[in-house]
Amino acid sequence: MKPMISPVGRSSCTSILIGKKATVDGSVIIGRNEDAKTAWPKHLAFNQHQIKKNNIFKSKDNKFQITLPNERFSYSSTPEWIDKYGVFEEDGINEYHVAMSATESAYANDRVMAVDPFDEEKGILEEAMITVVLPFIKSAREGVERLGKIVQEHGAAEADGILFADRDEAWYMEIGSGHHYVAQRIPDDSYAVVANQLAIQVIDFSDKKNFITSPGIQDFVYQNNLWPKNKPFNFRLIFGTHDDSDLTYNTPRVWSGQKLLTPSVSQDPESFDLPFIRKPDHPISIQEAQRVLSDHFNGTKYDLTNSKNEGQPAYRPIAVATTQESHLLQLRDEDMVHWLAMGIAAQSVYIPFYPQGTQVPTMFKYGKEEFTTNSAYWVFKMASVLVDRNWSKYATNLVNTQKATNLALNKLRVDYDKKLAQEKDNAKKIDLVNEANKKLADVAIKNYQKLIAKLITAQTADSPLRFKIDPNL
């Protein structure tokens, strides 16, 4: 039995799922921060409807291989700048209004790994999940079932958390070992914030409406003495980790997200008992969901932008320098929004792209590991680097740019929503969508280019080689 493996260069993520009765407008929202390296660009892609016979997917990361359906639905995604280690499309919305986001959530419990042998070289990895699932499903539940079948047949080479949503439901799925998984429907009036721990708690096997599990998971657990039969079947306790490192790396992120959305409840950031499901104190807006994924313990004694915490942070925050992109996938009736913030969410802006587009805005197609000026990813990262030189001094410039850009983006999106509602011709609708996506991208990038120019100009005075003669001499 080999240990579970992780893809090259991957790190950790924070996710959020919100039910339709917990949001201000009745939309279902899922999203997360994709964290890997401080310099590892992402692109945006609009993958078109396709009929392809003998459609076989082969992973570049391991030997996982699967025959796919001939018909592929159109979908948005955020692939890596290079597919050497796999495609890592990571997140998107397909033409049936189904959203999906896949993340490496946690390492499996050692005792579980020891009794669930599988061939790690042929198991599905995070890098392939969006590619082999999202283009072929018509509902969130169907997504859980499709990925579940793949895990049963091929195994999973890592412990993952996968987010699914459609216009009615949000589902969270966790793979706890090579072949075993559970999925739970997020109650309509609730939300979940998940860090790098297995999060799902007690499973009700009789409740088929709200739970989906791998066949035989109970027998597997009981036969291997992983949990007593006379106790509620707690997936988190059976399959997850409960290490001291979790108390600084994982639970504080969940605590922080729940503190923002349910401030009426007092909790300890170093608690293993934070609930998977929470009800918000009030309906959640998309801006509040963005605030969660942008959080670095703002305004608390743990805030990493506070000079007192430099070099000795107490806890790992939600927003970190290794974030490649942050996304929120929002579905309501016929409306779909792929909110995308390149780089660190706290220093970027969420652009409300139309996922049904066919033309990717130019600068969202470019960007390699080394800095270039023609890449959307690098525009936002450059602004981050400049602000980081002195956060207290330059944060005001950043915040002002974020506020102005968000207002402009939201107004532009509303204007095009109205135009699309009035247009009946499908071809002309796609033209409008492509036009809107281009304008949305241009507004965000141009505003950040102006911010960069302002910061560079101001920072010419920050040189240690400054010399000023006293006028009295």
Side-chain angles (χ1 to χ4, degrees):
M1 169 61 188
K2 298 179 181 179
M4 288 190 175
I5 59 173
S6 298
V8 175
R10 307 313 292 180
S11 182
S12 54
C13 310
T14 308
S15 304
I16 187 170
L17 307 94
I18 312 172
K20 61 184 179 182
K21 292 183 180 179
T23 59
V24 296
D25 61 354
S27 60
V28 178
I29 300 171
I30 62 171
R32 69 180 180 89
N33 291 350
E34 182 185 354
D35 304 336
K37 297 180 179 180
T38 56
W40 201 250
K42 299 291 293 187
H43 297 167
L44 173 65
F46 298 130
N47 307 279
Q48 299 310 298
H49 185 279
Q50 184 183 79
I51 302 294
K52 182 180 179 181
K53 294 183 179 180
N54 301 316
N55 191 7
I56 298 175
F57 175 87
K58 295 180 181 179
S59 173
K60 288 191 176 183
D61 192 275
N62 66 354
K63 296 178 182 179
F64 170 70
Q65 178 174 313
I66 189 173
T67 299
L68 300 173
N70 292 340
E71 182 177 22
R72 184 188 78 176
F73 308 142
S74 61
Y75 66 106
S76 59
S77 65
T78 56
E80 302 276 71
W81 70 274
I82 187 172
D83 65 358
K84 180 179 179 180
Y85 307 111
V87 288
F88 289 101
E89 292 194 287
E90 295 302 319
D91 56 274
I93 303 173
N94 74 18
E95 65 186 79
Y96 281 94
H97 295 70
V98 182
M100 180 179 173
S101 182
T103 172
E104 182 192 355
S105 66
Y107 292 103
N109 190 312
D110 288 342
R111 60 177 177 171
V112 175
M113 291 168 57
V115 296
D116 187 14
F118 65 98
D119 188 345
E120 67 176 18
E121 293 186 346
K122 294 183 180 180
I124 188 170
L125 288 159
E126 171 198 346
E127 66 97 357
M129 288 180 179
I130 298 295
T131 309
V132 304
V133 175
L134 182 59
F136 310 103
I137 57 176
K138 297 181 180 180
S139 71
R141 177 182 286 271
E142 190 177 323
V144 174
E145 292 170 345
R146 174 169 172 78
L147 182 55
K149 184 177 180 181
I150 292 172
V151 172
Q152 292 169 39
E153 294 177 355
H154 298 268
E158 57 196 351
D160 287 292
I162 306 93
L163 294 69
F164 296 90
D166 55 36
R167 288 170 282 196
D168 294 311
E169 299 181 328
W171 283 80
Y172 186 60
M173 177 181 183
E174 290 188 319
I175 300 170
S177 69
H179 296 95
H180 287 295
Y181 61 87
V182 299
Q184 182 173 352
R185 181 181 182 275
I186 306 301
D188 290 343
D189 63 354
S190 302
Y191 70 90
V193 174
V194 184
N196 284 81
Q197 294 170 284
L198 294 179
I200 297 176
Q201 294 174 292
V202 175
I203 307 298
D204 184 348
F205 289 95
S206 66
D207 185 358
K208 304 299 183 183
K209 179 182 177 182
N210 295 300
F211 293 93
I212 299 173
T213 65
S214 53
I217 188 172
Q218 287 175 285
D219 291 339
F220 168 77
V221 167
Y222 298 144
Q223 288 172 7
N224 290 285
N225 298 312
L226 299 175
W227 194 251
K229 288 184 178 181
N230 62 347
K231 298 287 185 181
F233 193 98
N234 191 312
F235 183 79
R236 181 196 294 181
L237 295 180
I238 299 167
F239 287 83
T241 58
H242 321 98
D243 303 328
D244 288 345
S245 60
D246 288 325
L247 301 180
T248 57
Y249 194 74
N250 293 320
T251 62
R253 282 183 275 164
V254 178
W255 167 81
S256 183
Q258 293 187 358
K259 183 175 182 291
L260 288 168
L261 301 178
T262 315
S264 61
V265 177
S266 179
Q267 300 179 121
D268 186 344
E270 295 187 24
S271 171
F272 281 124
D273 297 321
L274 298 175
F276 170 51
I277 301 294
R278 267 272 182 233
K279 291 185 179 181
D281 282 354
H282 57 263
I284 303 167
S285 67
I286 189 67
Q287 288 76 22
E288 287 171 304
Q290 293 171 5
R291 171 66 179 82
V292 170
L293 294 184
S294 303
D295 186 64
H296 46 81
F297 302 117
N298 309 43
T300 74
K301 62 182 179 181
Y302 310 119
D303 191 341
L304 265 65
T305 67
N306 187 325
S307 59
K308 294 179 180 179
N309 295 320
E310 187 174 351
Q312 50 180 8
Y315 300 129
R316 192 268 203 206
I318 291 173
V320 287
T322 54
T323 303
Q324 297 169 272
E325 56 84 19
S326 179
H327 57 267
L328 284 158
L329 311 176
Q330 184 178 19
L331 304 171
R332 179 173 63 89
D333 299 328
E334 296 303 308
D335 296 330
M336 303 183 287
V337 189
H338 188 146
W339 297 87
L340 179 61
M342 285 293 190
I344 306 168
Q347 298 171 316
S348 185
V349 287
Y350 287 88
I351 303 175
F353 286 116
Y354 290 90
Q356 64 269 42
T358 59
Q359 298 174 9
V360 177
T362 302
M363 291 182 71
F364 283 81
K365 295 186 288 186
Y366 299 120
K368 296 183 179 181
E369 187 174 7
E370 287 192 355
F371 171 79
T372 56
T373 57
N374 68 341
S375 162
Y377 170 87
W378 277 115
V379 167
F380 293 103
K381 287 295 288 189
M382 185 175 185
S384 294
V385 170
L386 292 171
V387 171
D388 285 344
R389 291 190 68 184
N390 190 327
W391 188 292
S392 62
K393 186 175 181 179
Y394 299 116
T396 300
N397 297 114
L398 171 67
V399 170
N400 289 341
T401 297
Q402 288 176 315
K403 287 181 178 178
T405 305
N406 285 329
L407 285 172
L409 291 174
N410 288 333
K411 182 181 183 303
L412 195 56
R413 175 76 195 209
V414 169
D415 290 343
Y416 272 91
D417 282 347
K418 292 177 180 177
K419 292 179 182 179
L420 286 165
Q422 294 170 357
E423 182 58 65
K424 303 302 179 185
D425 184 272
N426 287 332
K428 291 181 179 179
K429 279 190 172 184
I430 293 299
D431 289 341
L432 280 172
V433 162
N434 289 330
E435 181 182 292
N437 282 341
K438 182 180 184 302
K439 287 187 177 181
L440 289 163
D442 287 347
V443 165
I445 289 172
K446 287 177 180 177
N447 281 3
Y448 264 70
Q449 288 172 331
K450 290 178 182 177
L451 170 64
I452 289 168
K454 182 180 291 185
L455 291 172
I456 288 177
T457 303
Q459 290 181 21
T460 60
D462 291 343
S463 172
L465 298 179
R466 286 174 299 172
F467 183 78
K468 187 176 180 180
I469 298 177
D470 190 321
N472 295 317
L473 294 179

